[in-house]
Amino acid sequence: MAEITSRTCVYDGWYRFYRIGVRLDTGVEVERHLLDNGSAVMVLPYDPDRRVVLLITQPRAGVLAAGETPIFEAIAGMLDGAHPVDRAREEAMEEGGLRLGDLDHVATVWSLPPVSTERTALYLARYGAQDRVGPGGGADGEHEAISVYEIPLDDLRGMVEGGTLTDAKTLILAQALMLRHQGLWNA
């Protein structure tokens, strides 16, 4: 079995970046790079009565570097030691101004396994118009520049089928919503 033989921190800031030595099963040692950014949670809120989902956009360094416009994403946040359900509810209020009740766990996935320690717990959450209790937009002082959108379910399906919902975790959640709640979509 492969094993880590050395670890050197090359950056310690918002995230930690390491250069690591890995001994492969063959005995060969190779250099790899590791982003240690902890675990996260993501939730896709949907309103079956008004037939919408709540998505956000915000400036993302990778998307900006690629010269792209902001992408639609489900609400997300780092766990920082919190339980995923608790953090999902906090982030829904902070980013979307949304009060959530029960959450439906979809999966816990590796976000970028070649280089990152991050695993993201994915949830679906039903909400109603009465649960939109705040403006959203992110926490004061965090400068997230979040915009909040309610997207019709049929538009979401079109984005999934047309390949324009490009955040991988959000795509997984949208597909899970389509599979688990097939009656929400028009024929």
Side-chain angles (χ1 to χ4, degrees), residues 4 18 20 22 31-36 110-118:
I4 294 175
Y18 294 92
I20 62 173
V22 176
E31 181 180 288
R32 298 292 186 252
H33 303 99
L34 179 66
L35 168 65
D36 185 0
W110 289 96
S111 299
L112 190 60
V115 296
S116 176
T117 62
E118 182 179 280

Side-chain angles (χ1 to χ4, degrees), residues 37-42 76-80 84 87-88 107-109 111 117-123 169:
N37 53 326
S39 293
V41 64
M42 181 175 264
M78 300 307 294
L79 292 182
D80 297 324
R87 180 66 75 218
T108 300
V109 299
S111 299
T117 62
E118 182 179 280
R119 284 185 271 183
T120 304
L122 303 176
Y123 292 91
K169 297 175 300 299

Side-chain angles (χ1 to χ4, degrees), residues 54-57 72 75 92 94-98 132 134-138 145-151:
L54 192 139
L55 295 174
I56 64 162
T57 62
F72 283 113
I75 290 168
E94 180 182 298
E95 293 185 2
L98 188 59
R132 294 285 314 268
I146 293 172
S147 297
V148 181
Y149 301 89
E150 286 188 316
I151 307 292

Side-chain angles (χ1 to χ4, degrees), residues 35 43 85 91 132 154 157 181:
L35 168 65
V43 59
V85 170
E91 292 293 335
R132 294 285 314 268
D154 290 325
R157 180 177 65 185
H181 302 283

